[in-house]
Amino acid sequence: MKAIYLDCFSGISGNMMIGALLDAGLSIEYLRAELAKLPVTSYKLIDKEVIKRGIKARYFNVEAKQWFQPSRNLHDIHKIISESSFTDTVKQKAIKIFNRLGAAEAKVHGVPESKIHFHEVGAIDSIVDIVGIAIGLEYLGIEHIFTSELHVGSGYVKCSHGRMPIPAPATAELLKGIPFYSEGIKGELVTPTGAAVVACLAEVSGPLPKGFSIEQVAYGAGSMDLEIPNVVRLYMGTMSAGLEAASHEAKIIETNIDDMNPEIYGYVIERLLNHPGVHDAYLTSIMMKKGRPGTKLSVLAAANKIADIARVILRETSTLGVRIIDCDTVHLEKEIISLETPWGQARVKVGRLAGQVLNVSPEYEDCKTIALKHNIPLKEVYQHMIAASKKLMIEAVPE
C-alpha cells in the first residue's frame, strides 16, 4: 500500500501540501496540463525551491492575474469541477473537500450550505489548490494518508468577516475529532483548506503508524518566515506486507430500518463510502418484527472515525439508533499498476501478501472508458485485462 505521512509540526495549507507533493515527485508539467482542464483562467502558478530555516523545500502558490474574484457558492464549485475532464477519483476527492468546507462555513455562520458564498475558499487559488492536491495524490498513486497532530499557531487572522482568533472559526469546526495544539508561534499555521484535506482524506492522526516503511522525505513550504521552519514534511513509503502489519482496529456500525423511502438508500451508501475511514458499506434484506420486511445497513469503518460516521447515519436515515460491534480487519497490500492493451493503457489492482500476488482485478473505470471509446463489449475488455494479468498471478502458499 503506497502511503504518505504528513508531519505538520508547522501546520498545513493547500499550497504547502502541493509543494510537498511536487517535492515528492509530482510533475509540475503534468499538474499544469491537468489544471488547464478547469474552466477558470487569469491565474499563474508559482513553483520554486526555497530555504526555510536551513531546510530546502518546494514552494507552490497561485497568483491571480486580476484582483476581482467572483463570489462562488457550493453549486458553482461543483459545476466547475464536475464539468471538467478529470478522472472520477480526482473529481470525487475535490468535491468531498469542498463539501466539508461548505458544511463548516454553514455551521459557523448559521445558514444552509446552499446559501454559503465562499470568499477565501471560493477564490481561484483555493480551487486550484484543492483540485491540484487531488491530482497529485492520484499521480503519485497514494492510497493512504496519515498525519501527525496539527500545530495550528496562535494569535489572530484577518478574514473577510474581520479579525478572527486562531484557529479561525471554520478551521476549528473542521478540526473536530483531529488532535491539534499550539506552542505559541504567532500566525495561522493551519488554514481551512489544510484542515479540510486532513479531515476528509487522512485516516489516522497521531504518531507514524507501525509498519510504515519510509522511502522518501519531501518538504512543502509555506509563505511565512517563523522561528521554526514553515514547512510540512511529507514521508512517502509503503505499509509493510504481512498479516500483522495489515491488521487494523475497526468497528461495524449497524442499524435495522423498515420505514424509509428505498430511493434514499443509494444516496446514503454513496455518502458513507466517500466518508474518511469507511472501508465498506452495504445493505442486507431482513425480516423484522410483526413480519415486516426491512433493511440492515452495515458500515465497516476505522475505529477512530465511528462517532462521525454514526452521525451521518442518524442524520441521513430514519433510524433512532445504531449498534457498534468491535472488529479487526486484515488487508492485502494493494498496488495499482498500468498494463498495455490494444486500446491503450489501463490499470489493475494487485493484492499481495508478503510480496506474493494473490489477486489481480481490472480497474472498472478504465475498462468502461475503453469500451465506450472503441465501441466494444465491456466483458471483452475485462477478459483481455485478466489474460494480460495472468503473468502477475502466483499460487498462494498453503498454510
Side-chain angles (χ1 to χ4, degrees), residues 185-326:
I185 301 293
K186 294 294 183 181
E188 184 187 32
L189 302 186
V190 175
T191 65
T193 299
V197 168
V198 172
C200 287
L201 305 182
E203 299 175 33
V204 179
S205 297
L208 195 70
K210 181 181 179 182
F212 191 99
S213 177
I214 298 171
E215 297 172 356
Q216 189 174 353
V217 182
Y219 294 90
S223 57
M224 294 184 287
D225 290 319
L226 306 169
E227 53 264 51
I228 61 174
N230 186 210
V231 298
V232 62
R233 178 161 50 194
L234 182 151
Y235 296 105
M236 187 163 67
T238 57
M239 297 299 292
S240 299
L243 296 182
E244 182 179 353
S247 179
H248 303 280
E249 184 184 357
K251 292 183 184 291
I252 297 174
I253 312 175
E254 290 184 347
T255 187
N256 298 342
I257 304 172
D258 66 358
D259 59 351
M260 191 171 79
N261 182 347
E263 293 177 332
I264 296 176
Y265 283 113
Y267 173 80
V268 174
I269 291 293
E270 183 179 358
R271 284 290 306 272
L272 290 167
L273 289 174
N274 285 328
H275 196 286
V278 171
H279 304 314
D280 199 5
Y282 52 94
L283 304 171
T284 307
S285 295
I286 57 174
M287 188 66 72
M288 299 179 63
K289 63 183 179 181
K290 299 182 181 179
R292 292 199 301 264
T295 301
K296 179 170 72 174
L297 169 63
S298 303
V299 183
L300 177 63
N304 66 327
K305 299 290 184 180
I306 291 302
D308 286 343
I309 295 164
R311 277 193 288 270
V312 173
I313 296 172
L314 293 170
R315 179 182 177 185
E316 298 289 354
T317 73
S318 60
T319 189
L320 298 178
V322 299
R323 55 186 173 272
I324 299 174
I325 304 166
D326 288 337

Side-chain angles (χ1 to χ4, degrees), residues 38-340:
L38 284 168
V40 293
T41 55
S42 299
Y43 69 90
K44 180 176 72 173
L45 300 185
I46 298 172
D47 171 45
K48 60 184 180 181
E49 286 188 348
V50 297
I51 302 295
K52 291 288 185 176
R53 292 286 176 182
I55 294 179
K56 185 179 75 171
R58 196 80 169 259
Y59 177 75
F60 174 89
N61 214 340
V62 182
E63 185 177 281
K65 292 184 178 180
Q66 57 187 36
W67 68 268
F68 173 75
Q69 289 292 318
S71 178
R72 300 180 176 96
N73 59 29
L74 200 55
H75 173 75
D76 297 328
I77 292 171
H78 279 193
K79 191 170 186 293
I80 287 172
I81 296 171
S82 298
E83 292 183 355
S84 301
S85 57
F86 299 119
T87 64
D88 288 342
T89 300
V90 168
K91 290 179 181 180
Q92 288 166 7
K93 277 190 171 68
I95 288 174
K96 181 191 294 187
I97 294 169
F98 267 112
N99 284 345
R100 184 63 70 91
L101 279 167
E105 292 277 359
K107 175 73 179 298
V108 167
H109 299 301
V111 298
E113 292 178 26
S114 61
K115 299 296 183 183
I116 281 292
H117 279 261
F118 293 91
H119 299 285
E120 289 88 351
V121 296
I124 194 169
D125 55 340
S126 294
I127 295 172
V128 171
D129 280 350
I130 289 171
V131 174
I133 288 167
I135 291 168
L137 293 172
E138 182 180 63
Y139 179 89
L140 294 173
I142 305 302
E143 299 176 67
H144 299 280
I145 300 175
F146 309 97
T147 74
S148 67
E149 294 184 352
L150 307 185
H151 186 183
V152 298
S154 65
Y156 292 84
V157 62
K158 186 176 180 181
C159 302
S160 58
H161 298 282
R163 293 180 76 232
M164 297 289 177
I166 293 172
T171 304
E173 184 68 25
L174 289 161
L175 291 174
K176 289 194 301 188
I178 299 172
F180 67 91
Y181 65 97
S182 174
E183 289 188 343
I185 301 293
K186 294 294 183 181
E188 184 187 32
L189 302 186
V190 175
T191 65
T193 299
V197 168
V198 172
C200 287
L201 305 182
E203 299 175 33
V204 179
S205 297
L208 195 70
K210 181 181 179 182
F212 191 99
S213 177
I214 298 171
E215 297 172 356
Q216 189 174 353
V217 182
Y219 294 90
S223 57
M224 294 184 287
D225 290 319
L226 306 169
E227 53 264 51
I228 61 174
N230 186 210
V231 298
V232 62
R233 178 161 50 194
L234 182 151
Y235 296 105
M236 187 163 67
T238 57
M239 297 299 292
S240 299
L243 296 182
E244 182 179 353
S247 179
H248 303 280
E249 184 184 357
K251 292 183 184 291
I252 297 174
I253 312 175
E254 290 184 347
T255 187
N256 298 342
I257 304 172
D258 66 358
D259 59 351
M260 191 171 79
N261 182 347
E263 293 177 332
I264 296 176
Y265 283 113
Y267 173 80
V268 174
I269 291 293
E270 183 179 358
R271 284 290 306 272
L272 290 167
L273 289 174
N274 285 328
H275 196 286
V278 171
H279 304 314
D280 199 5
Y282 52 94
L283 304 171
T284 307
S285 295
I286 57 174
M287 188 66 72
M288 299 179 63
K289 63 183 179 181
K290 299 182 181 179
R292 292 199 301 264
T295 301
K296 179 170 72 174
L297 169 63
S298 303
V299 183
L300 177 63
N304 66 327
K305 299 290 184 180
I306 291 302
D308 286 343
I309 295 164
R311 277 193 288 270
V312 173
I313 296 172
L314 293 170
R315 179 182 177 185
E316 298 289 354
T317 73
S318 60
T319 189
L320 298 178
V322 299
R323 55 186 173 272
I324 299 174
I325 304 166
D326 288 337
C327 173
D328 286 332
T329 63
V330 174
H331 306 279
L332 293 179
E333 178 188 0
K334 188 172 73 172
E335 180 185 6
I336 298 178
I337 64 174
S338 292
L339 293 180
E340 197 64 45

